[in-house]
Amino acid sequence: MARADKQAAVADIVEQFNESAGAVLTEYRGLTVKELQDLRRSLGENATYAVVKNTLAKLAAKEAGLAGFDDLLTGPTAIAFISGDVVEAAKGLRDFAKANPTLVIKGGVLDGKALDAAEVAKLADLESREVLLGKMAGAMLASLSQAVYLLNAPIAQAARLAGALQAKAEEDPSILAGGAGTPVAAEEAPAAAEAPADEAPAASDEGDTAEA
């Protein structure tokens, strides 16, 4: 490979490392052309699966500031540069490797840190971003529903009270005037000043002396 072509190939790999959310390194020895095509289709828009030369990939990893790749870059190597959900792409690669054991997942990189094969497998076991967002949305909706219920409960109680008062006012309009309703008529009590008919009025002290 000419020096210019080599530099261009390294620069392309560096760009893919920098622009990807993550990458998974695989050994594709034994996979047919059709199986490689199937793998690329299974990844869809989540990742770009590219066959690379180990020497160029080592140079690119160094330029991209990635360490711990030298031991992984052995044998026929292809890298899945992940542009979408890293967990979803890792699941796709794991499932494909189960169905096609000749595909070997050697490791990867996430957030600039190298991952070994076991760490990639753990990544594939995580819930996808869509599932996590769905659970978060469900939890938030449940919290909002509870908050709305708590906020509306006093309002509902006030509405029931207002309805009861309205019904009472229709029966007794005096309530609207500030009263407590038409009072029950009190029984008339005998007048305290009324004296018995057969009793004479008490004599007055003035002019009440006996004639001599």
Side-chain angles (χ1 to χ4, degrees):
M1 180 182 290
R3 183 179 180 84
D5 294 338
K6 182 178 179 179
Q7 290 176 339
V10 171
D12 180 61
I13 299 173
V14 171
E15 183 179 1
Q16 292 190 76
F17 272 129
N18 290 335
E19 293 183 354
S20 299
V24 178
L25 278 70
T26 68
E27 182 177 320
Y28 64 92
R29 190 196 309 271
L31 289 178
T32 65
V33 173
K34 182 181 184 305
E35 288 171 339
L36 286 172
Q37 291 174 345
D38 292 341
L39 175 55
R40 288 188 174 97
R41 279 195 295 267
S42 68
L43 292 174
E45 298 180 354
N46 254 351
T48 300
Y49 192 71
V51 175
V52 298
K53 291 183 177 295
N54 290 330
T55 54
L56 300 181
K58 287 179 182 179
L59 291 172
K62 185 177 180 180
E63 287 191 24
L66 304 174
F69 270 61
D70 289 356
D71 294 339
L72 302 178
L73 292 169
T74 58
T77 301
I79 303 177
F81 294 101
I82 305 168
S83 56
D85 189 342
V86 176
V87 172
E88 195 65 30
K91 287 180 186 295
L93 288 167
R94 177 200 60 191
D95 294 344
F96 189 90
K98 286 181 179 179
N100 302 270
T102 50
L103 177 70
V104 178
I105 296 175
K106 299 190 291 185
V109 58
L110 181 64
D111 294 333
K113 297 181 180 178
L115 305 175
D116 58 25
E119 290 171 324
V120 174
K122 290 180 180 178
L123 188 65
D125 290 335
L126 297 176
E127 293 179 326
S128 67
R129 180 173 179 270
E130 286 74 15
V131 173
L132 291 174
L133 287 175
K135 288 186 175 181
M136 288 176 62
M140 291 175 65
L141 285 175
S143 299
L144 287 172
S145 297
Q146 184 178 13
V148 169
Y149 172 78
L150 292 175
L151 289 172
N152 284 343
I155 298 175
Q157 292 173 2
R160 288 194 295 269
L161 179 59
L165 289 174
Q166 181 179 2
K168 184 67 177 176
E170 290 175 356
E171 295 178 2
D172 188 355
S174 68
I175 293 177
L176 299 178
T182 304
V184 178
E187 295 181 359
E188 294 182 0
E194 184 178 347
D198 55 348
E199 289 186 7
S204 174
D205 290 341
E206 293 181 3
D208 198 26
T209 54
E211 292 181 0

Short mmCIF file of all heavy atoms in Angstrom, two decimals, residues 67-125:
data_model
loop_
_atom_site.label_atom_id
_atom_site.label_comp_id
_atom_site.label_asym_id
_atom_site.label_seq_id
_atom_site.Cartn_x
_atom_site.Cartn_y
_atom_site.Cartn_z
N ALA A 67 -5.98 3.16 24.15
CA ALA A 67 -4.94 2.23 24.59
C ALA A 67 -5.55 0.86 24.86
O ALA A 67 -6.75 0.71 25.05
CB ALA A 67 -4.27 2.77 25.87
N GLY A 68 -4.69 -0.17 24.89
CA GLY A 68 -5.14 -1.51 25.22
C GLY A 68 -5.66 -2.29 24.05
O GLY A 68 -6.36 -3.29 24.23
N PHE A 69 -5.32 -1.86 22.81
CA PHE A 69 -5.86 -2.53 21.62
C PHE A 69 -4.87 -3.50 20.98
O PHE A 69 -5.27 -4.35 20.19
CB PHE A 69 -6.27 -1.48 20.58
CG PHE A 69 -7.70 -1.04 20.73
CD1 PHE A 69 -8.14 -0.43 21.88
CD2 PHE A 69 -8.61 -1.25 19.71
CE1 PHE A 69 -9.45 -0.02 22.03
CE2 PHE A 69 -9.93 -0.85 19.85
CZ PHE A 69 -10.34 -0.24 21.02
N ASP A 70 -3.61 -3.36 21.27
CA ASP A 70 -2.60 -4.14 20.56
C ASP A 70 -2.83 -5.64 20.68
O ASP A 70 -2.69 -6.39 19.72
CB ASP A 70 -1.20 -3.78 21.06
CG ASP A 70 -0.78 -2.39 20.61
OD1 ASP A 70 -1.55 -1.77 19.84
OD2 ASP A 70 0.30 -1.93 21.01
N ASP A 71 -3.20 -6.10 21.88
CA ASP A 71 -3.41 -7.54 22.09
C ASP A 71 -4.66 -8.04 21.38
O ASP A 71 -4.79 -9.24 21.12
CB ASP A 71 -3.51 -7.85 23.59
CG ASP A 71 -2.19 -7.59 24.32
OD1 ASP A 71 -1.14 -7.57 23.64
OD2 ASP A 71 -2.23 -7.40 25.55
N LEU A 72 -5.63 -7.14 21.11
CA LEU A 72 -6.87 -7.55 20.46
C LEU A 72 -6.73 -7.61 18.94
O LEU A 72 -7.49 -8.31 18.27
CB LEU A 72 -8.00 -6.57 20.83
CG LEU A 72 -8.32 -6.41 22.31
CD1 LEU A 72 -9.43 -5.38 22.50
CD2 LEU A 72 -8.71 -7.74 22.94
N LEU A 73 -5.78 -6.87 18.42
CA LEU A 73 -5.65 -6.77 16.96
C LEU A 73 -4.73 -7.88 16.45
O LEU A 73 -3.58 -7.66 16.03
CB LEU A 73 -5.12 -5.38 16.59
CG LEU A 73 -6.10 -4.25 16.86
CD1 LEU A 73 -5.43 -2.89 16.73
CD2 LEU A 73 -7.30 -4.34 15.94
N THR A 74 -5.27 -9.08 16.47
CA THR A 74 -4.57 -10.25 15.92
C THR A 74 -5.57 -11.05 15.09
O THR A 74 -6.77 -11.07 15.40
CB THR A 74 -4.02 -11.15 17.03
OG1 THR A 74 -5.09 -11.56 17.89
CG2 THR A 74 -2.97 -10.41 17.86
N GLY A 75 -5.09 -11.71 14.05
CA GLY A 75 -5.96 -12.48 13.18
C GLY A 75 -6.81 -11.57 12.32
O GLY A 75 -6.72 -10.33 12.38
N PRO A 76 -7.69 -12.14 11.49
CA PRO A 76 -8.58 -11.34 10.63
C PRO A 76 -9.52 -10.49 11.49
O PRO A 76 -10.33 -11.02 12.25
CB PRO A 76 -9.35 -12.39 9.83
CG PRO A 76 -8.55 -13.63 9.94
CD PRO A 76 -7.89 -13.59 11.28
N THR A 77 -9.39 -9.18 11.39
CA THR A 77 -10.14 -8.28 12.28
C THR A 77 -11.14 -7.43 11.51
O THR A 77 -10.84 -6.90 10.43
CB THR A 77 -9.17 -7.34 13.03
OG1 THR A 77 -8.25 -8.13 13.79
CG2 THR A 77 -9.93 -6.42 13.97
N ALA A 78 -12.32 -7.33 12.08
CA ALA A 78 -13.34 -6.41 11.58
C ALA A 78 -13.90 -5.66 12.78
O ALA A 78 -14.06 -6.23 13.87
CB ALA A 78 -14.44 -7.15 10.84
N ILE A 79 -14.16 -4.39 12.59
CA ILE A 79 -14.63 -3.54 13.70
C ILE A 79 -16.03 -3.04 13.41
O ILE A 79 -16.32 -2.55 12.30
CB ILE A 79 -13.69 -2.34 13.92
CG1 ILE A 79 -12.27 -2.82 14.18
CG2 ILE A 79 -14.18 -1.50 15.11
CD1 ILE A 79 -11.26 -1.69 14.34
N ALA A 80 -16.91 -3.18 14.40
CA ALA A 80 -18.26 -2.61 14.31
C ALA A 80 -18.20 -1.23 14.96
O ALA A 80 -18.11 -1.11 16.19
CB ALA A 80 -19.26 -3.50 15.02
N PHE A 81 -18.22 -0.19 14.13
CA PHE A 81 -18.24 1.19 14.63
C PHE A 81 -19.71 1.55 14.87
O PHE A 81 -20.49 1.66 13.93
CB PHE A 81 -17.60 2.14 13.62
CG PHE A 81 -16.13 1.91 13.41
CD1 PHE A 81 -15.68 1.22 12.30
CD2 PHE A 81 -15.21 2.39 14.32
CE1 PHE A 81 -14.32 1.00 12.10
CE2 PHE A 81 -13.85 2.18 14.14
CZ PHE A 81 -13.40 1.48 13.02
N ILE A 82 -20.05 1.77 16.15
CA ILE A 82 -21.45 1.93 16.55
C ILE A 82 -21.82 3.41 16.59
O ILE A 82 -21.21 4.20 17.31
CB ILE A 82 -21.70 1.29 17.93
CG1 ILE A 82 -21.27 -0.19 17.89
CG2 ILE A 82 -23.17 1.41 18.33
CD1 ILE A 82 -21.20 -0.83 19.26
N SER A 83 -22.83 3.77 15.82
CA SER A 83 -23.29 5.16 15.79
C SER A 83 -24.58 5.35 16.58
O SER A 83 -24.95 6.47 16.93
CB SER A 83 -23.51 5.61 14.34
OG SER A 83 -24.43 4.74 13.68
N GLY A 84 -25.30 4.26 16.84
CA GLY A 84 -26.57 4.34 17.58
C GLY A 84 -26.43 3.84 19.00
O GLY A 84 -25.46 4.15 19.69
N ASP A 85 -27.41 3.06 19.42
CA ASP A 85 -27.44 2.51 20.77
C ASP A 85 -26.36 1.44 20.90
O ASP A 85 -26.40 0.40 20.23
CB ASP A 85 -28.82 1.91 21.06
CG ASP A 85 -28.99 1.50 22.50
OD1 ASP A 85 -27.97 1.36 23.22
OD2 ASP A 85 -30.14 1.33 22.93
N VAL A 86 -25.37 1.69 21.76
CA VAL A 86 -24.25 0.75 21.92
C VAL A 86 -24.74 -0.59 22.45
O VAL A 86 -24.29 -1.66 22.00
CB VAL A 86 -23.18 1.35 22.87
CG1 VAL A 86 -22.06 0.35 23.12
CG2 VAL A 86 -22.62 2.64 22.28
N VAL A 87 -25.66 -0.57 23.40
CA VAL A 87 -26.18 -1.81 23.98
C VAL A 87 -26.90 -2.63 22.92
O VAL A 87 -26.73 -3.85 22.83
CB VAL A 87 -27.12 -1.49 25.16
CG1 VAL A 87 -27.81 -2.76 25.65
CG2 VAL A 87 -26.34 -0.85 26.30
N GLU A 88 -27.71 -1.97 22.11
CA GLU A 88 -28.47 -2.66 21.07
C GLU A 88 -27.52 -3.31 20.05
O GLU A 88 -27.74 -4.45 19.61
CB GLU A 88 -29.41 -1.68 20.38
CG GLU A 88 -30.50 -2.35 19.53
CD GLU A 88 -31.47 -3.16 20.36
OE1 GLU A 88 -31.70 -2.81 21.54
OE2 GLU A 88 -31.99 -4.15 19.82
N ALA A 89 -26.46 -2.59 19.66
CA ALA A 89 -25.50 -3.14 18.71
C ALA A 89 -24.75 -4.31 19.33
O ALA A 89 -24.50 -5.33 18.65
CB ALA A 89 -24.52 -2.05 18.27
N ALA A 90 -24.39 -4.21 20.60
CA ALA A 90 -23.69 -5.31 21.28
C ALA A 90 -24.59 -6.54 21.34
O ALA A 90 -24.11 -7.68 21.19
CB ALA A 90 -23.28 -4.88 22.68
N LYS A 91 -25.88 -6.33 21.56
CA LYS A 91 -26.82 -7.46 21.57
C LYS A 91 -26.87 -8.13 20.20
O LYS A 91 -26.90 -9.36 20.08
CB LYS A 91 -28.22 -6.97 21.95
CG LYS A 91 -28.42 -6.60 23.41
CD LYS A 91 -29.85 -6.14 23.64
CE LYS A 91 -30.05 -5.62 25.05
NZ LYS A 91 -29.87 -6.65 26.07
N GLY A 92 -26.90 -7.30 19.14
CA GLY A 92 -26.95 -7.84 17.79
C GLY A 92 -25.73 -8.68 17.47
O GLY A 92 -25.84 -9.78 16.89
N LEU A 93 -24.55 -8.20 17.86
CA LEU A 93 -23.32 -8.95 17.62
C LEU A 93 -23.29 -10.23 18.45
O LEU A 93 -22.88 -11.30 17.96
CB LEU A 93 -22.10 -8.08 17.96
CG LEU A 93 -21.81 -6.94 16.99
CD1 LEU A 93 -20.81 -5.96 17.58
CD2 LEU A 93 -21.28 -7.50 15.66
N ARG A 94 -23.73 -10.16 19.70
CA ARG A 94 -23.76 -11.35 20.55
C ARG A 94 -24.69 -12.41 19.97
O ARG A 94 -24.33 -13.60 19.90
CB ARG A 94 -24.22 -10.97 21.96
CG ARG A 94 -24.34 -12.14 22.92
CD ARG A 94 -25.23 -11.79 24.08
NE ARG A 94 -26.59 -11.44 23.64
CZ ARG A 94 -27.50 -10.90 24.46
NH1 ARG A 94 -27.19 -10.64 25.71
NH2 ARG A 94 -28.70 -10.62 24.00
N ASP A 95 -25.89 -11.99 19.56
CA ASP A 95 -26.86 -12.95 19.02
C ASP A 95 -26.36 -13.57 17.71
O ASP A 95 -26.56 -14.76 17.46
CB ASP A 95 -28.21 -12.25 18.79
CG ASP A 95 -28.85 -11.80 20.10
OD1 ASP A 95 -28.43 -12.29 21.17
OD2 ASP A 95 -29.77 -10.95 20.04
N PHE A 96 -25.70 -12.73 16.90
CA PHE A 96 -25.16 -13.27 15.64
C PHE A 96 -24.05 -14.27 15.93
O PHE A 96 -23.92 -15.30 15.24
CB PHE A 96 -24.64 -12.14 14.75
CG PHE A 96 -24.27 -12.58 13.36
CD1 PHE A 96 -25.22 -12.57 12.35
CD2 PHE A 96 -22.98 -13.02 13.07
CE1 PHE A 96 -24.88 -12.99 11.06
CE2 PHE A 96 -22.65 -13.44 11.79
CZ PHE A 96 -23.60 -13.42 10.79
N ALA A 97 -23.22 -13.97 16.93
CA ALA A 97 -22.12 -14.87 17.28
C ALA A 97 -22.65 -16.19 17.83
O ALA A 97 -22.03 -17.25 17.62
CB ALA A 97 -21.21 -14.20 18.30
N LYS A 98 -23.78 -16.17 18.52
CA LYS A 98 -24.38 -17.41 19.01
C LYS A 98 -24.84 -18.28 17.86
O LYS A 98 -24.69 -19.51 17.88
CB LYS A 98 -25.56 -17.09 19.94
CG LYS A 98 -25.16 -16.56 21.31
CD LYS A 98 -26.40 -16.30 22.16
CE LYS A 98 -26.00 -15.80 23.55
NZ LYS A 98 -27.21 -15.53 24.38
N ALA A 99 -25.41 -17.64 16.85
CA ALA A 99 -25.90 -18.39 15.68
C ALA A 99 -24.76 -18.76 14.73
O ALA A 99 -24.87 -19.72 13.97
CB ALA A 99 -26.95 -17.58 14.94
N ASN A 100 -23.66 -17.98 14.78
CA ASN A 100 -22.51 -18.22 13.91
C ASN A 100 -21.24 -18.19 14.76
O ASN A 100 -20.57 -17.15 14.88
CB ASN A 100 -22.43 -17.14 12.82
CG ASN A 100 -23.68 -17.07 11.97
OD1 ASN A 100 -23.80 -17.74 10.96
ND2 ASN A 100 -24.63 -16.24 12.39
N PRO A 101 -20.89 -19.30 15.39
CA PRO A 101 -19.77 -19.35 16.34
C PRO A 101 -18.41 -18.96 15.74
O PRO A 101 -17.47 -18.68 16.50
CB PRO A 101 -19.74 -20.82 16.79
CG PRO A 101 -21.13 -21.31 16.54
CD PRO A 101 -21.59 -20.60 15.32
N THR A 102 -18.31 -18.92 14.42
CA THR A 102 -17.04 -18.51 13.82
C THR A 102 -16.76 -17.01 14.03
O THR A 102 -15.61 -16.57 13.87
CB THR A 102 -17.02 -18.83 12.32
OG1 THR A 102 -18.21 -18.33 11.70
CG2 THR A 102 -16.94 -20.34 12.08
N LEU A 103 -17.80 -16.24 14.36
CA LEU A 103 -17.59 -14.83 14.70
C LEU A 103 -17.18 -14.76 16.17
O LEU A 103 -17.92 -15.19 17.06
CB LEU A 103 -18.87 -14.01 14.48
CG LEU A 103 -18.76 -12.53 14.88
CD1 LEU A 103 -17.86 -11.77 13.92
CD2 LEU A 103 -20.14 -11.87 14.92
N VAL A 104 -16.03 -14.20 16.43
CA VAL A 104 -15.50 -14.11 17.80
C VAL A 104 -15.43 -12.64 18.20
O VAL A 104 -14.80 -11.82 17.51
CB VAL A 104 -14.10 -14.75 17.90
CG1 VAL A 104 -13.55 -14.61 19.32
CG2 VAL A 104 -14.16 -16.21 17.49
N ILE A 105 -16.08 -12.30 19.30
CA ILE A 105 -16.01 -10.94 19.83
C ILE A 105 -14.79 -10.85 20.73
O ILE A 105 -14.68 -11.55 21.74
CB ILE A 105 -17.30 -10.58 20.61
CG1 ILE A 105 -18.49 -10.59 19.65
CG2 ILE A 105 -17.15 -9.21 21.26
CD1 ILE A 105 -19.83 -10.36 20.34
N LYS A 106 -13.83 -10.00 20.35
CA LYS A 106 -12.55 -9.93 21.07
C LYS A 106 -12.52 -8.82 22.12
O LYS A 106 -11.76 -8.90 23.09
CB LYS A 106 -11.42 -9.72 20.06
CG LYS A 106 -11.29 -10.86 19.06
CD LYS A 106 -10.02 -10.75 18.24
CE LYS A 106 -10.03 -9.60 17.29
NZ LYS A 106 -8.81 -9.60 16.41
N GLY A 107 -13.30 -7.79 21.93
CA GLY A 107 -13.30 -6.67 22.87
C GLY A 107 -13.91 -5.46 22.22
O GLY A 107 -14.59 -5.57 21.18
N GLY A 108 -13.66 -4.31 22.80
CA GLY A 108 -14.23 -3.10 22.22
C GLY A 108 -13.75 -1.85 22.91
O GLY A 108 -12.77 -1.87 23.68
N VAL A 109 -14.44 -0.78 22.64
CA VAL A 109 -14.11 0.51 23.26
C VAL A 109 -15.41 1.26 23.51
O VAL A 109 -16.34 1.23 22.69
CB VAL A 109 -13.16 1.34 22.36
CG1 VAL A 109 -13.78 1.58 20.99
CG2 VAL A 109 -12.81 2.65 23.03
N LEU A 110 -15.48 1.89 24.66
CA LEU A 110 -16.65 2.68 25.03
C LEU A 110 -16.19 3.88 25.85
O LEU A 110 -15.48 3.72 26.85
CB LEU A 110 -17.64 1.83 25.85
CG LEU A 110 -18.93 2.53 26.28
CD1 LEU A 110 -19.77 2.91 25.06
CD2 LEU A 110 -19.74 1.62 27.21
N ASP A 111 -16.59 5.06 25.41
CA ASP A 111 -16.18 6.30 26.08
C ASP A 111 -14.67 6.41 26.21
O ASP A 111 -14.13 6.85 27.24
CB ASP A 111 -16.83 6.39 27.48
CG ASP A 111 -18.33 6.53 27.41
OD1 ASP A 111 -18.83 7.06 26.40
OD2 ASP A 111 -19.02 6.09 28.36
N GLY A 112 -13.97 5.96 25.17
CA GLY A 112 -12.52 6.08 25.16
C GLY A 112 -11.78 5.03 25.97
O GLY A 112 -10.55 5.07 26.06
N LYS A 113 -12.50 4.09 26.57
CA LYS A 113 -11.87 3.05 27.40
C LYS A 113 -12.00 1.70 26.72
O LYS A 113 -13.06 1.36 26.19
CB LYS A 113 -12.53 3.01 28.78
CG LYS A 113 -12.35 4.29 29.58
CD LYS A 113 -13.01 4.18 30.95
CE LYS A 113 -12.84 5.47 31.75
NZ LYS A 113 -13.51 5.38 33.08
N ALA A 114 -10.92 0.93 26.77
CA ALA A 114 -10.92 -0.39 26.14
C ALA A 114 -11.75 -1.37 26.97
O ALA A 114 -11.75 -1.32 28.21
CB ALA A 114 -9.49 -0.90 25.99
N LEU A 115 -12.47 -2.25 26.29
CA LEU A 115 -13.27 -3.30 26.94
C LEU A 115 -12.77 -4.65 26.47
O LEU A 115 -12.44 -4.82 25.30
CB LEU A 115 -14.75 -3.15 26.57
CG LEU A 115 -15.44 -1.81 26.82
CD1 LEU A 115 -16.87 -1.86 26.28
CD2 LEU A 115 -15.46 -1.48 28.30
N ASP A 116 -12.73 -5.62 27.39
CA ASP A 116 -12.41 -6.98 26.96
C ASP A 116 -13.70 -7.69 26.55
O ASP A 116 -14.80 -7.12 26.62
CB ASP A 116 -11.67 -7.74 28.06
CG ASP A 116 -12.46 -7.84 29.36
OD1 ASP A 116 -13.71 -7.75 29.32
OD2 ASP A 116 -11.84 -8.00 30.43
N ALA A 117 -13.57 -8.95 26.12
CA ALA A 117 -14.73 -9.69 25.61
C ALA A 117 -15.81 -9.85 26.67
O ALA A 117 -17.01 -9.76 26.39
CB ALA A 117 -14.28 -11.05 25.08
N ALA A 118 -15.39 -10.10 27.92
CA ALA A 118 -16.35 -10.28 29.01
C ALA A 118 -17.14 -9.00 29.27
O ALA A 118 -18.35 -9.04 29.54
CB ALA A 118 -15.64 -10.72 30.28
N GLU A 119 -16.48 -7.86 29.16
CA GLU A 119 -17.16 -6.58 29.39
C GLU A 119 -18.13 -6.26 28.26
O GLU A 119 -19.20 -5.68 28.50
CB GLU A 119 -16.13 -5.46 29.55
CG GLU A 119 -15.33 -5.56 30.85
CD GLU A 119 -14.17 -4.60 30.92
OE1 GLU A 119 -13.55 -4.35 29.86
OE2 GLU A 119 -13.88 -4.09 32.02
N VAL A 120 -17.79 -6.64 27.04
CA VAL A 120 -18.72 -6.46 25.92
C VAL A 120 -19.95 -7.34 26.13
O VAL A 120 -21.09 -6.93 25.85
CB VAL A 120 -18.04 -6.79 24.58
CG1 VAL A 120 -19.05 -6.75 23.43
CG2 VAL A 120 -16.91 -5.81 24.30
N ALA A 121 -19.73 -8.58 26.64
CA ALA A 121 -20.85 -9.49 26.91
C ALA A 121 -21.76 -8.90 27.99
O ALA A 121 -23.00 -8.97 27.88
CB ALA A 121 -20.33 -10.85 27.35
N LYS A 122 -21.19 -8.28 29.02
CA LYS A 122 -22.00 -7.64 30.06
C LYS A 122 -22.78 -6.47 29.49
O LYS A 122 -23.93 -6.22 29.86
CB LYS A 122 -21.10 -7.16 31.21
CG LYS A 122 -20.50 -8.28 32.05
CD LYS A 122 -19.63 -7.72 33.16
CE LYS A 122 -19.02 -8.82 34.01
NZ LYS A 122 -18.13 -8.28 35.06
N LEU A 123 -22.14 -5.75 28.57
CA LEU A 123 -22.81 -4.62 27.92
C LEU A 123 -24.02 -5.10 27.14
O LEU A 123 -25.08 -4.47 27.15
CB LEU A 123 -21.82 -3.91 26.99
CG LEU A 123 -22.27 -2.59 26.36
CD1 LEU A 123 -22.47 -1.53 27.42
CD2 LEU A 123 -21.22 -2.12 25.34
N ALA A 124 -23.88 -6.24 26.48
CA ALA A 124 -24.98 -6.80 25.69
C ALA A 124 -26.13 -7.28 26.58
O ALA A 124 -27.27 -7.37 26.13
CB ALA A 124 -24.48 -7.96 24.83
N ASP A 125 -25.83 -7.59 27.85
CA ASP A 125 -26.87 -8.06 28.77
C ASP A 125 -27.68 -6.92 29.37
O ASP A 125 -28.71 -7.16 30.02
CB ASP A 125 -26.25 -8.89 29.90
CG ASP A 125 -25.72 -10.23 29.42
OD1 ASP A 125 -26.23 -10.72 28.39
OD2 ASP A 125 -24.79 -10.77 30.06
#
